[in-house]
PDB file of all heavy atoms in Angstrom:
ATOM      1  N   GLU S 165     -31.482  12.020  82.432  1.00  0.00           N
ATOM      2  CA  GLU S 165     -32.729  11.315  82.790  1.00  0.00           C
ATOM      3  C   GLU S 165     -33.785  12.317  83.202  1.00  0.00           C
ATOM      4  O   GLU S 165     -33.472  13.415  83.783  1.00  0.00           O
ATOM      5  CB  GLU S 165     -32.445  10.340  83.900  1.00  0.00           C
ATOM      6  CG  GLU S 165     -31.436   9.198  83.497  1.00  0.00           C
ATOM      7  CD  GLU S 165     -32.075   8.396  82.265  1.00  0.00           C
ATOM      8  OE1 GLU S 165     -33.217   8.063  82.396  1.00  0.00           O
ATOM      9  OE2 GLU S 165     -31.161   8.006  81.371  1.00  0.00           O
ATOM     10  N   TYR S 196     -41.172  14.072  71.861  1.00  0.00           N
ATOM     11  CA  TYR S 196     -40.691  13.213  70.843  1.00  0.00           C
ATOM     12  C   TYR S 196     -39.412  12.527  71.292  1.00  0.00           C
ATOM     13  O   TYR S 196     -39.074  11.495  70.716  1.00  0.00           O
ATOM     14  CB  TYR S 196     -40.568  13.848  69.421  1.00  0.00           C
ATOM     15  CG  TYR S 196     -41.800  13.677  68.550  1.00  0.00           C
ATOM     16  CD1 TYR S 196     -42.818  14.649  68.606  1.00  0.00           C
ATOM     17  CD2 TYR S 196     -41.862  12.673  67.654  1.00  0.00           C
ATOM     18  CE1 TYR S 196     -43.852  14.555  67.851  1.00  0.00           C
ATOM     19  CE2 TYR S 196     -42.991  12.485  66.843  1.00  0.00           C
ATOM     20  CZ  TYR S 196     -44.034  13.381  66.948  1.00  0.00           C
ATOM     21  OH  TYR S 196     -45.118  13.225  66.108  1.00  0.00           O
ATOM     22  N   GLU S 202     -41.534   7.496  80.105  1.00  0.00           N
ATOM     23  CA  GLU S 202     -41.190   8.717  80.575  1.00  0.00           C
ATOM     24  C   GLU S 202     -42.379   9.719  80.391  1.00  0.00           C
ATOM     25  O   GLU S 202     -42.659  10.544  81.277  1.00  0.00           O
ATOM     26  CB  GLU S 202     -39.981   9.200  79.830  1.00  0.00           C
ATOM     27  CG  GLU S 202     -38.672   8.572  80.309  1.00  0.00           C
ATOM     28  CD  GLU S 202     -37.492   8.926  79.559  1.00  0.00           C
ATOM     29  OE1 GLU S 202     -37.647   9.452  78.361  1.00  0.00           O
ATOM     30  OE2 GLU S 202     -36.349   8.845  80.047  1.00  0.00           O
ATOM     31  N   THR S 227     -44.367   9.095  66.320  1.00  0.00           N
ATOM     32  CA  THR S 227     -44.307   8.528  65.019  1.00  0.00           C
ATOM     33  C   THR S 227     -45.117   7.223  64.972  1.00  0.00           C
ATOM     34  O   THR S 227     -45.324   6.695  63.885  1.00  0.00           O
ATOM     35  CB  THR S 227     -42.848   8.210  64.572  1.00  0.00           C
ATOM     36  OG1 THR S 227     -42.352   7.310  65.417  1.00  0.00           O
ATOM     37  CG2 THR S 227     -42.037   9.467  64.458  1.00  0.00           C
ATOM     38  N   LYS S 230     -49.995   3.592  67.333  1.00  0.00           N
ATOM     39  CA  LYS S 230     -50.267   2.755  68.519  1.00  0.00           C
ATOM     40  C   LYS S 230     -49.826   3.231  69.849  1.00  0.00           C
ATOM     41  O   LYS S 230     -50.547   3.222  70.718  1.00  0.00           O
ATOM     42  CB  LYS S 230     -49.676   1.331  68.200  1.00  0.00           C
ATOM     43  CG  LYS S 230     -50.015   0.236  69.177  1.00  0.00           C
ATOM     44  CD  LYS S 230     -49.497  -1.042  68.886  1.00  0.00           C
ATOM     45  CE  LYS S 230     -49.585  -2.111  69.912  1.00  0.00           C
ATOM     46  NZ  LYS S 230     -49.184  -3.476  69.542  1.00  0.00           N
ATOM     47  N   GLU S 269     -57.400   7.944  64.953  1.00  0.00           N
ATOM     48  CA  GLU S 269     -56.963   6.683  65.599  1.00  0.00           C
ATOM     49  C   GLU S 269     -56.396   7.053  66.977  1.00  0.00           C
ATOM     50  O   GLU S 269     -56.500   6.293  67.926  1.00  0.00           O
ATOM     51  CB  GLU S 269     -55.850   6.006  64.732  1.00  0.00           C
ATOM     52  CG  GLU S 269     -56.515   5.214  63.495  1.00  0.00           C
ATOM     53  CD  GLU S 269     -55.454   4.273  62.959  1.00  0.00           C
ATOM     54  OE1 GLU S 269     -54.561   3.772  63.655  1.00  0.00           O
ATOM     55  OE2 GLU S 269     -55.721   3.978  61.782  1.00  0.00           O
ATOM     56  N   ASN S 289     -43.324  19.497  58.370  1.00  0.00           N
ATOM     57  CA  ASN S 289     -43.569  19.625  57.005  1.00  0.00           C
ATOM     58  C   ASN S 289     -44.946  19.315  56.596  1.00  0.00           C
ATOM     59  O   ASN S 289     -45.328  19.137  55.430  1.00  0.00           O
ATOM     60  CB  ASN S 289     -42.604  18.859  56.164  1.00  0.00           C
ATOM     61  CG  ASN S 289     -41.288  19.496  55.882  1.00  0.00           C
ATOM     62  OD1 ASN S 289     -41.271  20.514  55.224  1.00  0.00           O
ATOM     63  ND2 ASN S 289     -40.176  18.864  56.276  1.00  0.00           N
ATOM     64  N   THR S 421     -30.140  14.844  73.137  1.00  0.00           N
ATOM     65  CA  THR S 421     -29.528  14.692  71.722  1.00  0.00           C
ATOM     66  C   THR S 421     -30.654  14.489  70.808  1.00  0.00           C
ATOM     67  O   THR S 421     -31.476  13.658  71.103  1.00  0.00           O
ATOM     68  CB  THR S 421     -28.486  13.544  71.791  1.00  0.00           C
ATOM     69  OG1 THR S 421     -27.415  13.981  72.669  1.00  0.00           O
ATOM     70  CG2 THR S 421     -27.927  13.402  70.374  1.00  0.00           C
ATOM     71  N   ARG S 424     -28.381  20.638  70.575  1.00  0.00           N
ATOM     72  CA  ARG S 424     -27.041  21.017  71.062  1.00  0.00           C
ATOM     73  C   ARG S 424     -27.337  21.932  72.252  1.00  0.00           C
ATOM     74  O   ARG S 424     -27.822  22.980  72.120  1.00  0.00           O
ATOM     75  CB  ARG S 424     -26.317  21.738  69.986  1.00  0.00           C
ATOM     76  CG  ARG S 424     -25.453  20.829  69.042  1.00  0.00           C
ATOM     77  CD  ARG S 424     -24.849  21.712  67.942  1.00  0.00           C
ATOM     78  NE  ARG S 424     -25.887  22.435  67.185  1.00  0.00           N
ATOM     79  CZ  ARG S 424     -25.861  23.625  66.808  1.00  0.00           C
ATOM     80  NH1 ARG S 424     -24.737  24.386  67.075  1.00  0.00           N
ATOM     81  NH2 ARG S 424     -26.835  24.155  66.140  1.00  0.00           N
TER      82      ARG S 424
ATOM     83  N   GLU E 205     -52.043  -5.396  64.011  1.00  0.00           N
ATOM     84  CA  GLU E 205     -50.967  -5.753  65.034  1.00  0.00           C
ATOM     85  C   GLU E 205     -49.916  -6.529  64.292  1.00  0.00           C
ATOM     86  O   GLU E 205     -50.181  -7.205  63.294  1.00  0.00           O
ATOM     87  CB  GLU E 205     -51.663  -6.696  66.119  1.00  0.00           C
ATOM     88  CG  GLU E 205     -52.713  -5.926  66.965  1.00  0.00           C
ATOM     89  CD  GLU E 205     -52.063  -4.785  67.680  1.00  0.00           C
ATOM     90  OE1 GLU E 205     -50.957  -4.947  68.280  1.00  0.00           O
ATOM     91  OE2 GLU E 205     -52.725  -3.719  67.753  1.00  0.00           O
ATOM     92  N   TYR E 236     -40.350   3.171  62.311  1.00  0.00           N
ATOM     93  CA  TYR E 236     -40.796   4.303  63.181  1.00  0.00           C
ATOM     94  C   TYR E 236     -42.210   4.205  63.646  1.00  0.00           C
ATOM     95  O   TYR E 236     -42.611   4.864  64.590  1.00  0.00           O
ATOM     96  CB  TYR E 236     -40.542   5.713  62.407  1.00  0.00           C
ATOM     97  CG  TYR E 236     -39.280   6.301  62.591  1.00  0.00           C
ATOM     98  CD1 TYR E 236     -38.156   5.906  61.930  1.00  0.00           C
ATOM     99  CD2 TYR E 236     -39.225   7.332  63.516  1.00  0.00           C
ATOM    100  CE1 TYR E 236     -36.895   6.553  62.089  1.00  0.00           C
ATOM    101  CE2 TYR E 236     -38.001   8.043  63.714  1.00  0.00           C
ATOM    102  CZ  TYR E 236     -36.881   7.601  63.093  1.00  0.00           C
ATOM    103  OH  TYR E 236     -35.684   8.237  63.303  1.00  0.00           O
ATOM    104  N   GLU E 242     -42.602  -3.949  70.123  1.00  0.00           N
ATOM    105  CA  GLU E 242     -42.815  -4.631  68.798  1.00  0.00           C
ATOM    106  C   GLU E 242     -41.434  -4.788  68.058  1.00  0.00           C
ATOM    107  O   GLU E 242     -41.185  -5.735  67.329  1.00  0.00           O
ATOM    108  CB  GLU E 242     -43.729  -3.756  67.981  1.00  0.00           C
ATOM    109  CG  GLU E 242     -45.248  -3.914  68.439  1.00  0.00           C
ATOM    110  CD  GLU E 242     -46.285  -2.905  67.657  1.00  0.00           C
ATOM    111  OE1 GLU E 242     -45.765  -1.958  67.231  1.00  0.00           O
ATOM    112  OE2 GLU E 242     -47.446  -3.351  67.736  1.00  0.00           O
ATOM    113  N   THR E 267     -37.082   8.801  67.277  1.00  0.00           N
ATOM    114  CA  THR E 267     -37.024  10.257  67.592  1.00  0.00           C
ATOM    115  C   THR E 267     -36.419  10.286  69.089  1.00  0.00           C
ATOM    116  O   THR E 267     -35.977  11.467  69.536  1.00  0.00           O
ATOM    117  CB  THR E 267     -38.332  10.885  67.576  1.00  0.00           C
ATOM    118  OG1 THR E 267     -39.192  10.143  68.522  1.00  0.00           O
ATOM    119  CG2 THR E 267     -38.949  10.950  66.264  1.00  0.00           C
ATOM    120  N   LYS E 270     -32.724   7.721  73.739  1.00  0.00           N
ATOM    121  CA  LYS E 270     -32.731   6.739  74.742  1.00  0.00           C
ATOM    122  C   LYS E 270     -33.325   5.461  74.363  1.00  0.00           C
ATOM    123  O   LYS E 270     -32.819   4.273  74.702  1.00  0.00           O
ATOM    124  CB  LYS E 270     -33.388   7.349  76.010  1.00  0.00           C
ATOM    125  CG  LYS E 270     -33.445   6.430  77.226  1.00  0.00           C
ATOM    126  CD  LYS E 270     -34.035   7.166  78.468  1.00  0.00           C
ATOM    127  CE  LYS E 270     -34.295   6.255  79.604  1.00  0.00           C
ATOM    128  NZ  LYS E 270     -34.942   6.855  80.739  1.00  0.00           N
ATOM    129  N   GLU E 302     -24.314  17.496  65.122  1.00  0.00           N
ATOM    130  CA  GLU E 302     -25.497  16.875  65.742  1.00  0.00           C
ATOM    131  C   GLU E 302     -25.728  15.434  65.302  1.00  0.00           C
ATOM    132  O   GLU E 302     -26.077  14.615  66.179  1.00  0.00           O
ATOM    133  CB  GLU E 302     -26.775  17.766  65.413  1.00  0.00           C
ATOM    134  CG  GLU E 302     -26.758  19.114  65.989  1.00  0.00           C
ATOM    135  CD  GLU E 302     -27.785  20.088  65.282  1.00  0.00           C
ATOM    136  OE1 GLU E 302     -28.509  19.624  64.307  1.00  0.00           O
ATOM    137  OE2 GLU E 302     -27.897  21.245  65.585  1.00  0.00           O
ATOM    138  N   GLU E 309     -24.379   8.349  70.567  1.00  0.00           N
ATOM    139  CA  GLU E 309     -25.127   7.938  71.649  1.00  0.00           C
ATOM    140  C   GLU E 309     -25.906   6.630  71.534  1.00  0.00           C
ATOM    141  O   GLU E 309     -25.936   5.763  72.385  1.00  0.00           O
ATOM    142  CB  GLU E 309     -26.166   9.075  72.040  1.00  0.00           C
ATOM    143  CG  GLU E 309     -25.373  10.238  72.773  1.00  0.00           C
ATOM    144  CD  GLU E 309     -26.411  11.118  73.561  1.00  0.00           C
ATOM    145  OE1 GLU E 309     -27.582  10.717  73.879  1.00  0.00           O
ATOM    146  OE2 GLU E 309     -26.037  12.298  73.757  1.00  0.00           O
ATOM    147  N   ASN E 329     -35.219  15.164  55.994  1.00  0.00           N
ATOM    148  CA  ASN E 329     -34.636  16.442  55.661  1.00  0.00           C
ATOM    149  C   ASN E 329     -33.186  16.647  56.086  1.00  0.00           C
ATOM    150  O   ASN E 329     -32.658  17.691  56.233  1.00  0.00           O
ATOM    151  CB  ASN E 329     -35.448  17.544  56.233  1.00  0.00           C
ATOM    152  CG  ASN E 329     -36.577  17.829  55.290  1.00  0.00           C
ATOM    153  OD1 ASN E 329     -36.375  18.274  54.188  1.00  0.00           O
ATOM    154  ND2 ASN E 329     -37.821  17.688  55.710  1.00  0.00           N
ATOM    155  N   THR E 461     -51.275   3.561  59.937  1.00  0.00           N
ATOM    156  CA  THR E 461     -51.650   4.959  59.676  1.00  0.00           C
ATOM    157  C   THR E 461     -50.333   5.731  60.092  1.00  0.00           C
ATOM    158  O   THR E 461     -49.667   5.446  61.089  1.00  0.00           O
ATOM    159  CB  THR E 461     -52.812   5.287  60.696  1.00  0.00           C
ATOM    160  OG1 THR E 461     -53.875   4.428  60.259  1.00  0.00           O
ATOM    161  CG2 THR E 461     -53.171   6.768  60.580  1.00  0.00           C
TER     162      THR E 461
END
Side-chain angles (χ1 to χ4, degrees):
Chain S
E165 294 299 320
Y196 265 85
E202 287 173 336
T227 60
K230 180 175 173 180
E269 286 196 20
N289 276 301
T421 299
R424 273 174 302 137
Chain E
E205 293 301 317
Y236 264 83
E242 287 173 335
T267 60
K270 181 175 173 179
E302 293 165 357
E309 286 195 22
N329 276 300
T461 300

